[in-house]
Amino acid sequence: MVDMDGEAAALLSTKQTAKFLGVSDASVRALIRQGRIDCVRIGKRPMIRRDRIQDFLDRNTENQCPAETQVPGSGFSKSGDASISSGLTAGAAASAARALLTANKLCKHSQSSSKVISDTAGRVIRLKSS
């Protein structure tokens, strides 16, 4: 649960909430307008319940992707331990390059392509004017 320096108030102002979250009062008001953080209105004044701040934090906590991916060991591996992949392998990079080359070739040979393939002029059919 959220604890703000021993304050016992169940409702916090936008300024108190902003101070706790480390953002501006305007940012808290924007979060309220966007419906991302719930508030209670007392008159026209928005007040935020302490438990809603915790809910907001829980909903908006991002899990970072690890920089390295665990790859299970091969059945043919002597150790059988998992290895760590730090990115594209040479084979994957070559495969991506081949796919791009193939896509470019297909684009050049496509009749619906918007690119001009040859310098020869196409046949023009004139419309009869009425």
Side-chain angles (χ1 to χ4, degrees):
M1 189 54 91
V2 176
D3 182 30
M4 288 193 51
D5 303 323
E7 293 182 31
L11 294 175
L12 301 174
S13 69
T14 55
K15 287 182 182 179
Q16 290 170 318
T17 303
K19 182 178 177 185
F20 175 75
L21 295 175
V23 297
S24 68
D25 183 52
S27 294
V28 172
R29 291 178 184 275
L31 290 170
I32 292 170
R33 275 193 309 277
Q34 296 165 0
R36 294 182 59 199
I37 190 166
D38 298 330
C39 75
V40 175
R41 294 220 180 251
I42 299 178
K44 291 184 177 184
R45 192 171 173 202
M47 301 291 285
I48 296 101
R49 288 181 22 194
R50 288 178 161 275
D51 61 330
R52 297 302 181 198
I53 296 171
Q54 187 64 46
D55 291 343
F56 170 77
L57 293 172
D58 292 342
R59 281 192 315 265
N60 291 286
T61 300
E62 293 183 4
N63 295 328
Q64 296 294 323
C65 291
E68 298 175 334
T69 306
Q70 292 288 333
V71 179
S74 167
F76 299 106
S77 169
K78 291 181 182 178
S79 69
D81 295 332
S83 61
I84 295 178
S85 170
S86 60
L88 283 177
T89 63
S95 177
R98 278 194 305 276
L100 187 59
L101 242 151
T102 303
N104 286 336
K105 286 181 183 177
L106 289 172
C107 183
K108 288 180 183 176
H109 296 298
S110 171
Q111 291 181 3
S112 63
S113 173
S114 62
K115 294 181 180 178
V116 176
I117 299 171
S118 66
D119 293 336
T120 59
R123 184 174 159 212
V124 177
I125 301 173
R126 304 235 182 239
L127 298 177
K128 294 181 183 178
S129 58
S130 0

